Amino acid sequence: MKFKNLANLFSDLESTTKRLEMIEFLSNFFEGVKKSNKFEDLDKIIYLLQGELVSNIKKFPKIGLAEKMIIDALSLHSGIDKKKVKEILIKKGDIGATAEQILAKRRTQMSLFDFEESPSELEPSLEISELYTALQKIALSEGTGSQDVKLGILRGLMRKCSPLENKYLLRIITSTLRVGVSTLTIIDGLALGFTGIKDNRNIIEKAYNFHPDLGDITKILAEKGITEVEKIGITYGIPIRMMLASRVPYGEIIEKLGTPLTAEYKLDGERLQIHKKGQDVKLFSRRLLEISEQFPDVCKTLIENIQVDDVIIEGEVVAMDSFYEKMLPFQVLSKRRRKYDVEDIIKEVPVCLFLFDLLKYKSESYIDKSFMVRRKKLEEIVSERDELRLVKSQLINSTDELLEFFNAARTEGNEGIMAKSIKEDSIYQAGNRGFLWIKLKGLEGGKLKDSVDVVLVGAFYGKGRRTGVYGTYVGAVLDPVEGKFIAFTRFFSGLTDELSDSLTKEMEKYKTEKKPKSVICEDIPDVWFEPEVVIEIIGDEITISEKFLTLGYSMRFPVFQRMRPEKGPGDITTVEEIRSLYDSQ
Ligand code: ATP
């Protein structure tokens, strides 16, 4: 397919903020694809709509083109002085819009002779497949002279694009493509466009929860139809979207889950979804990325101690002291993220994997079985040792018992507890934050002790001791349906000088001149950020906000708690959760 068609769709999608209109643009587009019967680029189209180059469970190599070089390319391509390009960029705040403006203006000034010299100005000819081959080449070229090679390839691409296509091409190159359409909206568009039936979105969403590569699913939908999508189940090596917990006031937990229920310690580590087939083990993070290389010791323990050939299990990996007696906080575990000297860091930070769920046993899916059946099977296959244990759990019959268990969990240094339903219908709800799992983190003093994960969307420069670094940040929560990040609170306290310095440096990468389209914020910070970096904050209570009117809530006395590198912007606290936190106070 021609990139031109996709650029037109991006432009349509950006012209509205209304979800129903977006669904209509998408479904018309997919209907056109269906009629054309050409599906080879469909997966790539989906990833680009999601603002990525590949599916969110894979990594694309870094493109590695500095902004300076892109300005050079734009200047050479348009014949406009670099200084002028920079000036327009500062005004527009977006390299894509800058390119479009400069190139569209140049186009109106071109003579017939110019068009003959550069025919693509009249008939853009870039194919999506060709774009991907070029991006791979850019990413993979390294070493001396590579910058010239990258520049050459980029200029080649630009020549084949219209001004509108160049707008999106440069956004793709600078990883700022996001056109503001959520995955749920794309799923709605797919259902209508390919099947004409809106309700089929549920089938597609279910398949996506089991197999979170929407590109793959779309190809199956286009080539084989919705009945084949319905058959998509769990697959070895493809992470399942994780089941998540809700928050409920502790007095209502018993009522919500019924008795008896199971309560487990909520450990302060990192969640792992483990796929084991024979001697092969893959570990997936909360963001569904493979992180086996960070934990070769965990892989070895699993191979040696789980004697089943084909299983998918879940647990929390936690840093331990050298006697494997005391659990250490998440910050210690974070050292395992280092990519070099892995052997040394394994010795320095021993870990234990605490298992709590089983999703597949031999060739049978356990997703739709009740929690007790899953836990029982898990107990059967695990032989416990220092590095591999089952999460501590207890049957609970009353709120008093629940509180006793909670206090024991806290005394032993855990974050809190997880209360889990054990009723017949307590299935593993992939990708869902339902009410079969309820987390309880804090109760002290009647104040809000539960944390909130926000994505940083802006910052104000510091004053006094904090000159030279950002003093105050603006954090946003997620509206998953609209795919928007809604400003929730400013926060400044709790950052050490060291952390303040390193965070300021880190945030340079995400600075944008203008507020990103996916951000809704009533504040006007000194700088805006692409919503990427996730931080956990804690505060006194959720309050009604007169400043952040879209959300309507904010946090009293927010304090930085910790970085959440294992979470992406799609994993942060949602608008819905903030509402229920407020209601539960
Ligand atoms: P949080 O920020 O509280 O870790 P989250 O968004 O990652 O939240 P939730 O479902 O809200 O996910 O809380 C459950 C998380 O707690 C899991 O993702 C997992 O990492 C961790 N956890 C620790 N102990 C358990 C347990 N026994 N059962 C399930 N999850 C546990």
Side-chain angles (χ1 to χ4, degrees), residues 244-245 264-267 271 286 316 356 391 418 420 433 437 439 441 453 564 567 571:
L244 299 170
E264 295 175 347
Y265 282 1
K266 185 176 192 305
L267 308 165
R271 182 154 180 184
R286 170 82 168 73
E316 187 91 348
F356 55 73
V391 166
M418 297 284 289
K420 297 182 178 178
R433 202 183 274 286
W437 286 9
K439 60 178 169 184
K441 291 208 222 174
D453 295 318
R564 295 297 308 247
K567 285 197 173 182
D571 306 316

PDB file of all heavy atoms in Angstrom, residues 244-245 264-267 271 286 316 356 391 418 420 433 437 439 441 453 564 567 571, ligand 1:
ATOM      1  N   LEU A 244      -5.177  -7.709  36.382  1.00  0.00           N
ATOM      2  CA  LEU A 244      -4.805  -6.673  37.355  1.00  0.00           C
ATOM      3  C   LEU A 244      -5.845  -6.590  38.466  1.00  0.00           C
ATOM      4  O   LEU A 244      -6.928  -7.157  38.365  1.00  0.00           O
ATOM      5  CB  LEU A 244      -4.666  -5.322  36.648  1.00  0.00           C
ATOM      6  CG  LEU A 244      -3.590  -5.274  35.564  1.00  0.00           C
ATOM      7  CD1 LEU A 244      -3.691  -3.982  34.774  1.00  0.00           C
ATOM      8  CD2 LEU A 244      -2.198  -5.419  36.164  1.00  0.00           C
ATOM      9  N   ALA A 245      -5.485  -5.843  39.494  1.00  0.00           N
ATOM     10  CA  ALA A 245      -6.352  -5.763  40.667  1.00  0.00           C
ATOM     11  C   ALA A 245      -7.026  -4.395  40.766  1.00  0.00           C
ATOM     12  O   ALA A 245      -6.498  -3.402  40.281  1.00  0.00           O
ATOM     13  CB  ALA A 245      -5.504  -5.988  41.910  1.00  0.00           C
ATOM     14  N   GLU A 264      -3.226 -12.977  49.787  1.00  0.00           N
ATOM     15  CA  GLU A 264      -1.795 -13.282  49.584  1.00  0.00           C
ATOM     16  C   GLU A 264      -0.976 -12.052  49.929  1.00  0.00           C
ATOM     17  O   GLU A 264      -1.481 -10.929  49.841  1.00  0.00           O
ATOM     18  CB  GLU A 264      -1.529 -13.626  48.116  1.00  0.00           C
ATOM     19  CG  GLU A 264      -2.202 -14.874  47.642  1.00  0.00           C
ATOM     20  CD  GLU A 264      -2.014 -15.106  46.133  1.00  0.00           C
ATOM     21  OE1 GLU A 264      -1.572 -14.175  45.429  1.00  0.00           O
ATOM     22  OE2 GLU A 264      -2.327 -16.199  45.677  1.00  0.00           O
ATOM     23  N   TYR A 265       0.276 -12.252  50.279  1.00  0.00           N
ATOM     24  CA  TYR A 265       1.158 -11.095  50.461  1.00  0.00           C
ATOM     25  C   TYR A 265       1.325 -10.400  49.115  1.00  0.00           C
ATOM     26  O   TYR A 265       1.465 -11.071  48.092  1.00  0.00           O
ATOM     27  CB  TYR A 265       2.535 -11.541  50.973  1.00  0.00           C
ATOM     28  CG  TYR A 265       2.575 -11.857  52.456  1.00  0.00           C
ATOM     29  CD1 TYR A 265       1.426 -11.768  53.240  1.00  0.00           C
ATOM     30  CD2 TYR A 265       3.765 -12.226  53.064  1.00  0.00           C
ATOM     31  CE1 TYR A 265       1.464 -12.039  54.596  1.00  0.00           C
ATOM     32  CE2 TYR A 265       3.814 -12.504  54.428  1.00  0.00           C
ATOM     33  CZ  TYR A 265       2.662 -12.414  55.187  1.00  0.00           C
ATOM     34  OH  TYR A 265       2.692 -12.685  56.524  1.00  0.00           O
ATOM     35  N   LYS A 266       1.290  -9.072  49.153  1.00  0.00           N
ATOM     36  CA  LYS A 266       1.601  -8.310  47.929  1.00  0.00           C
ATOM     37  C   LYS A 266       3.053  -7.897  48.031  1.00  0.00           C
ATOM     38  O   LYS A 266       3.416  -7.024  48.827  1.00  0.00           O
ATOM     39  CB  LYS A 266       0.690  -7.082  47.786  1.00  0.00           C
ATOM     40  CG  LYS A 266       0.907  -6.350  46.464  1.00  0.00           C
ATOM     41  CD  LYS A 266      -0.072  -5.207  46.288  1.00  0.00           C
ATOM     42  CE  LYS A 266      -0.098  -4.628  44.888  1.00  0.00           C
ATOM     43  NZ  LYS A 266       1.174  -4.181  44.366  1.00  0.00           N
ATOM     44  N   LEU A 267       3.883  -8.564  47.256  1.00  0.00           N
ATOM     45  CA  LEU A 267       5.333  -8.397  47.385  1.00  0.00           C
ATOM     46  C   LEU A 267       5.819  -7.184  46.604  1.00  0.00           C
ATOM     47  O   LEU A 267       5.221  -6.812  45.586  1.00  0.00           O
ATOM     48  CB  LEU A 267       6.024  -9.658  46.880  1.00  0.00           C
ATOM     49  CG  LEU A 267       5.498 -10.955  47.521  1.00  0.00           C
ATOM     50  CD1 LEU A 267       5.945 -12.147  46.724  1.00  0.00           C
ATOM     51  CD2 LEU A 267       5.975 -11.049  48.953  1.00  0.00           C
ATOM     52  N   ARG A 271       6.737  -8.071  38.578  1.00  0.00           N
ATOM     53  CA  ARG A 271       5.924  -9.189  38.100  1.00  0.00           C
ATOM     54  C   ARG A 271       6.587  -9.870  36.909  1.00  0.00           C
ATOM     55  O   ARG A 271       7.118  -9.193  36.028  1.00  0.00           O
ATOM     56  CB  ARG A 271       4.555  -8.657  37.684  1.00  0.00           C
ATOM     57  CG  ARG A 271       3.613  -9.745  37.215  1.00  0.00           C
ATOM     58  CD  ARG A 271       2.236  -9.287  37.441  1.00  0.00           C
ATOM     59  NE  ARG A 271       1.209 -10.212  37.058  1.00  0.00           N
ATOM     60  CZ  ARG A 271      -0.075  -9.882  37.132  1.00  0.00           C
ATOM     61  NH1 ARG A 271      -0.426  -8.687  37.558  1.00  0.00           N
ATOM     62  NH2 ARG A 271      -1.007 -10.743  36.797  1.00  0.00           N
ATOM     63  N   ARG A 286       5.935  -6.766  33.190  1.00  0.00           N
ATOM     64  CA  ARG A 286       4.608  -6.151  33.289  1.00  0.00           C
ATOM     65  C   ARG A 286       4.236  -5.445  31.994  1.00  0.00           C
ATOM     66  O   ARG A 286       3.071  -5.357  31.630  1.00  0.00           O
ATOM     67  CB  ARG A 286       4.672  -5.182  34.481  1.00  0.00           C
ATOM     68  CG  ARG A 286       3.537  -4.242  34.675  1.00  0.00           C
ATOM     69  CD  ARG A 286       2.392  -4.939  35.386  1.00  0.00           C
ATOM     70  NE  ARG A 286       1.426  -3.947  35.823  1.00  0.00           N
ATOM     71  CZ  ARG A 286       0.610  -3.314  34.998  1.00  0.00           C
ATOM     72  NH1 ARG A 286       0.614  -3.562  33.721  1.00  0.00           N
ATOM     73  NH2 ARG A 286      -0.234  -2.412  35.489  1.00  0.00           N
ATOM     74  N   GLU A 316       6.121 -12.983  41.348  1.00  0.00           N
ATOM     75  CA  GLU A 316       6.794 -11.710  41.595  1.00  0.00           C
ATOM     76  C   GLU A 316       8.242 -12.038  41.954  1.00  0.00           C
ATOM     77  O   GLU A 316       8.481 -12.853  42.860  1.00  0.00           O
ATOM     78  CB  GLU A 316       6.086 -11.002  42.772  1.00  0.00           C
ATOM     79  CG  GLU A 316       6.551  -9.605  43.035  1.00  0.00           C
ATOM     80  CD  GLU A 316       5.760  -8.518  42.277  1.00  0.00           C
ATOM     81  OE1 GLU A 316       4.976  -8.824  41.350  1.00  0.00           O
ATOM     82  OE2 GLU A 316       5.967  -7.341  42.634  1.00  0.00           O
ATOM     83  N   PHE A 356       2.500 -17.137  42.035  1.00  0.00           N
ATOM     84  CA  PHE A 356       1.116 -17.014  42.511  1.00  0.00           C
ATOM     85  C   PHE A 356       0.044 -17.458  41.516  1.00  0.00           C
ATOM     86  O   PHE A 356      -1.127 -17.479  41.852  1.00  0.00           O
ATOM     87  CB  PHE A 356       0.803 -15.612  43.042  1.00  0.00           C
ATOM     88  CG  PHE A 356       1.082 -14.481  42.075  1.00  0.00           C
ATOM     89  CD1 PHE A 356       0.276 -14.252  40.982  1.00  0.00           C
ATOM     90  CD2 PHE A 356       2.156 -13.628  42.311  1.00  0.00           C
ATOM     91  CE1 PHE A 356       0.528 -13.199  40.120  1.00  0.00           C
ATOM     92  CE2 PHE A 356       2.412 -12.567  41.452  1.00  0.00           C
ATOM     93  CZ  PHE A 356       1.604 -12.354  40.358  1.00  0.00           C
ATOM     94  N   VAL A 391       3.865 -17.765  46.826  1.00  0.00           N
ATOM     95  CA  VAL A 391       3.514 -16.580  47.606  1.00  0.00           C
ATOM     96  C   VAL A 391       2.729 -17.025  48.833  1.00  0.00           C
ATOM     97  O   VAL A 391       1.891 -17.930  48.745  1.00  0.00           O
ATOM     98  CB  VAL A 391       2.619 -15.642  46.751  1.00  0.00           C
ATOM     99  CG1 VAL A 391       1.956 -14.585  47.600  1.00  0.00           C
ATOM    100  CG2 VAL A 391       3.416 -15.006  45.652  1.00  0.00           C
ATOM    101  N   MET A 418      -3.033  -8.945  48.568  1.00  0.00           N
ATOM    102  CA  MET A 418      -3.928  -9.091  47.431  1.00  0.00           C
ATOM    103  C   MET A 418      -5.039 -10.012  47.914  1.00  0.00           C
ATOM    104  O   MET A 418      -4.755 -11.127  48.392  1.00  0.00           O
ATOM    105  CB  MET A 418      -3.222  -9.779  46.263  1.00  0.00           C
ATOM    106  CG  MET A 418      -2.054  -9.033  45.701  1.00  0.00           C
ATOM    107  SD  MET A 418      -2.549  -7.641  44.691  1.00  0.00           S
ATOM    108  CE  MET A 418      -3.216  -8.449  43.275  1.00  0.00           C
ATOM    109  N   LYS A 420      -8.139 -12.300  46.771  1.00  0.00           N
ATOM    110  CA  LYS A 420      -8.535 -12.920  45.502  1.00  0.00           C
ATOM    111  C   LYS A 420      -9.762 -13.801  45.682  1.00  0.00           C
ATOM    112  O   LYS A 420      -9.839 -14.577  46.636  1.00  0.00           O
ATOM    113  CB  LYS A 420      -7.374 -13.745  44.940  1.00  0.00           C
ATOM    114  CG  LYS A 420      -6.143 -12.893  44.604  1.00  0.00           C
ATOM    115  CD  LYS A 420      -5.003 -13.692  43.989  1.00  0.00           C
ATOM    116  CE  LYS A 420      -3.846 -12.772  43.636  1.00  0.00           C
ATOM    117  NZ  LYS A 420      -2.681 -13.477  43.090  1.00  0.00           N
ATOM    118  N   ARG A 433      -8.737  -5.173  34.677  1.00  0.00           N
ATOM    119  CA  ARG A 433      -8.650  -4.757  36.075  1.00  0.00           C
ATOM    120  C   ARG A 433     -10.046  -4.900  36.659  1.00  0.00           C
ATOM    121  O   ARG A 433     -10.801  -3.944  36.740  1.00  0.00           O
ATOM    122  CB  ARG A 433      -8.162  -3.307  36.143  1.00  0.00           C
ATOM    123  CG  ARG A 433      -7.540  -2.923  37.458  1.00  0.00           C
ATOM    124  CD  ARG A 433      -7.162  -1.467  37.468  1.00  0.00           C
ATOM    125  NE  ARG A 433      -5.859  -1.182  36.904  1.00  0.00           N
ATOM    126  CZ  ARG A 433      -4.704  -1.445  37.504  1.00  0.00           C
ATOM    127  NH1 ARG A 433      -4.678  -2.024  38.676  1.00  0.00           N
ATOM    128  NH2 ARG A 433      -3.565  -1.126  36.926  1.00  0.00           N
ATOM    129  N   TRP A 437      -9.696  -9.674  41.827  1.00  0.00           N
ATOM    130  CA  TRP A 437      -8.495  -9.408  42.616  1.00  0.00           C
ATOM    131  C   TRP A 437      -8.618  -7.991  43.178  1.00  0.00           C
ATOM    132  O   TRP A 437      -8.898  -7.043  42.426  1.00  0.00           O
ATOM    133  CB  TRP A 437      -7.235  -9.429  41.749  1.00  0.00           C
ATOM    134  CG  TRP A 437      -6.762 -10.774  41.302  1.00  0.00           C
ATOM    135  CD1 TRP A 437      -7.421 -11.965  41.429  1.00  0.00           C
ATOM    136  CD2 TRP A 437      -5.523 -11.049  40.631  1.00  0.00           C
ATOM    137  NE1 TRP A 437      -6.654 -12.961  40.879  1.00  0.00           N
ATOM    138  CE2 TRP A 437      -5.492 -12.437  40.386  1.00  0.00           C
ATOM    139  CE3 TRP A 437      -4.448 -10.272  40.211  1.00  0.00           C
ATOM    140  CZ2 TRP A 437      -4.422 -13.057  39.739  1.00  0.00           C
ATOM    141  CZ3 TRP A 437      -3.386 -10.881  39.574  1.00  0.00           C
ATOM    142  CH2 TRP A 437      -3.376 -12.270  39.350  1.00  0.00           C
ATOM    143  N   LYS A 439      -6.514  -5.162  45.596  1.00  0.00           N
ATOM    144  CA  LYS A 439      -5.256  -4.914  46.312  1.00  0.00           C
ATOM    145  C   LYS A 439      -5.500  -3.968  47.474  1.00  0.00           C
ATOM    146  O   LYS A 439      -6.317  -3.044  47.382  1.00  0.00           O
ATOM    147  CB  LYS A 439      -4.185  -4.368  45.371  1.00  0.00           C
ATOM    148  CG  LYS A 439      -4.483  -3.076  44.690  1.00  0.00           C
ATOM    149  CD  LYS A 439      -3.297  -2.645  43.835  1.00  0.00           C
ATOM    150  CE  LYS A 439      -3.642  -1.502  42.916  1.00  0.00           C
ATOM    151  NZ  LYS A 439      -2.562  -1.120  42.016  1.00  0.00           N
ATOM    152  N   LYS A 441      -3.176  -1.719  50.004  1.00  0.00           N
ATOM    153  CA  LYS A 441      -1.790  -1.341  50.277  1.00  0.00           C
ATOM    154  C   LYS A 441      -1.625  -0.557  51.558  1.00  0.00           C
ATOM    155  O   LYS A 441      -0.606  -0.643  52.216  1.00  0.00           O
ATOM    156  CB  LYS A 441      -1.241  -0.493  49.120  1.00  0.00           C
ATOM    157  CG  LYS A 441      -1.044  -1.239  47.842  1.00  0.00           C
ATOM    158  CD  LYS A 441       0.069  -0.593  47.038  1.00  0.00           C
ATOM    159  CE  LYS A 441      -0.284  -0.504  45.580  1.00  0.00           C
ATOM    160  NZ  LYS A 441       0.686   0.241  44.798  1.00  0.00           N
ATOM    161  N   ASP A 453       0.183   5.768  40.052  1.00  0.00           N
ATOM    162  CA  ASP A 453       1.235   5.856  39.034  1.00  0.00           C
ATOM    163  C   ASP A 453       0.830   6.904  38.011  1.00  0.00           C
ATOM    164  O   ASP A 453      -0.237   6.773  37.391  1.00  0.00           O
ATOM    165  CB  ASP A 453       1.404   4.511  38.324  1.00  0.00           C
ATOM    166  CG  ASP A 453       1.891   3.443  39.270  1.00  0.00           C
ATOM    167  OD1 ASP A 453       2.772   3.732  40.084  1.00  0.00           O
ATOM    168  OD2 ASP A 453       1.371   2.308  39.202  1.00  0.00           O
ATOM    169  N   ARG A 564       8.955   4.070  38.132  1.00  0.00           N
ATOM    170  CA  ARG A 564       8.354   2.772  37.781  1.00  0.00           C
ATOM    171  C   ARG A 564       8.832   2.354  36.397  1.00  0.00           C
ATOM    172  O   ARG A 564       8.057   2.331  35.433  1.00  0.00           O
ATOM    173  CB  ARG A 564       6.829   2.858  37.802  1.00  0.00           C
ATOM    174  CG  ARG A 564       6.154   3.121  39.123  1.00  0.00           C
ATOM    175  CD  ARG A 564       6.341   2.068  40.176  1.00  0.00           C
ATOM    176  NE  ARG A 564       6.033   0.711  39.802  1.00  0.00           N
ATOM    177  CZ  ARG A 564       5.015  -0.005  40.314  1.00  0.00           C
ATOM    178  NH1 ARG A 564       4.191   0.519  41.194  1.00  0.00           N
ATOM    179  NH2 ARG A 564       4.845  -1.248  39.943  1.00  0.00           N
ATOM    180  N   LYS A 567       6.900   0.003  34.166  1.00  0.00           N
ATOM    181  CA  LYS A 567       5.577   0.361  33.638  1.00  0.00           C
ATOM    182  C   LYS A 567       5.698   1.333  32.471  1.00  0.00           C
ATOM    183  O   LYS A 567       6.554   2.215  32.483  1.00  0.00           O
ATOM    184  CB  LYS A 567       4.734   1.017  34.732  1.00  0.00           C
ATOM    185  CG  LYS A 567       4.229   0.017  35.744  1.00  0.00           C
ATOM    186  CD  LYS A 567       3.093   0.594  36.555  1.00  0.00           C
ATOM    187  CE  LYS A 567       2.490  -0.474  37.427  1.00  0.00           C
ATOM    188  NZ  LYS A 567       1.368   0.007  38.208  1.00  0.00           N
ATOM    189  N   ASP A 571       0.212   1.598  31.319  1.00  0.00           N
ATOM    190  CA  ASP A 571       0.000   0.810  32.542  1.00  0.00           C
ATOM    191  C   ASP A 571      -0.283   1.664  33.767  1.00  0.00           C
ATOM    192  O   ASP A 571      -0.340   1.147  34.888  1.00  0.00           O
ATOM    193  CB  ASP A 571       1.268  -0.015  32.858  1.00  0.00           C
ATOM    194  CG  ASP A 571       1.706  -0.861  31.688  1.00  0.00           C
ATOM    195  OD1 ASP A 571       0.833  -1.476  31.075  1.00  0.00           O
ATOM    196  OD2 ASP A 571       2.911  -0.881  31.385  1.00  0.00           O
TER     197      ASP A 571
HETATM  198  P1  ATP B   1       1.032  -1.839  41.581  1.00  0.00           P
HETATM  199  O1  ATP B   1       1.484  -0.490  41.181  1.00  0.00           O
HETATM  200  O2  ATP B   1       0.220  -1.897  42.825  1.00  0.00           O
HETATM  201  O3  ATP B   1       2.134  -2.866  41.549  1.00  0.00           O
HETATM  202  P2  ATP B   1      -0.028  -2.764  39.075  1.00  0.00           P
HETATM  203  O4  ATP B   1      -0.720  -1.783  38.192  1.00  0.00           O
HETATM  204  O5  ATP B   1       1.302  -3.287  38.608  1.00  0.00           O
HETATM  205  O6  ATP B   1      -0.014  -2.198  40.541  1.00  0.00           O
HETATM  206  P3  ATP B   1      -2.115  -4.276  40.142  1.00  0.00           P
HETATM  207  O7  ATP B   1      -2.931  -5.349  39.568  1.00  0.00           O
HETATM  208  O8  ATP B   1      -2.802  -3.043  40.464  1.00  0.00           O
HETATM  209  O9  ATP B   1      -0.900  -4.044  39.194  1.00  0.00           O
HETATM  210  O10 ATP B   1      -1.429  -4.823  41.441  1.00  0.00           O
HETATM  211  C1  ATP B   1      -0.903  -6.112  41.375  1.00  0.00           C
HETATM  212  C2  ATP B   1       0.592  -6.059  41.191  1.00  0.00           C
HETATM  213  O11 ATP B   1       1.184  -6.420  42.423  1.00  0.00           O
HETATM  214  C3  ATP B   1       1.018  -7.081  40.172  1.00  0.00           C
HETATM  215  O12 ATP B   1       1.204  -6.516  38.899  1.00  0.00           O
HETATM  216  C4  ATP B   1       2.287  -7.671  40.755  1.00  0.00           C
HETATM  217  O13 ATP B   1       3.425  -7.054  40.211  1.00  0.00           O
HETATM  218  C5  ATP B   1       2.253  -7.318  42.224  1.00  0.00           C
HETATM  219  N1  ATP B   1       2.037  -8.448  43.135  1.00  0.00           N
HETATM  220  C6  ATP B   1       2.728  -8.664  44.257  1.00  0.00           C
HETATM  221  N2  ATP B   1       2.280  -9.727  44.907  1.00  0.00           N
HETATM  222  C7  ATP B   1       1.251 -10.234  44.183  1.00  0.00           C
HETATM  223  C8  ATP B   1       0.370 -11.333  44.368  1.00  0.00           C
HETATM  224  N3  ATP B   1       0.436 -12.120  45.417  1.00  0.00           N
HETATM  225  N4  ATP B   1      -0.572 -11.544  43.407  1.00  0.00           N
HETATM  226  C9  ATP B   1      -0.662 -10.747  42.339  1.00  0.00           C
HETATM  227  N5  ATP B   1       0.144  -9.682  42.127  1.00  0.00           N
HETATM  228  C10 ATP B   1       1.094  -9.422  43.046  1.00  0.00           C
END
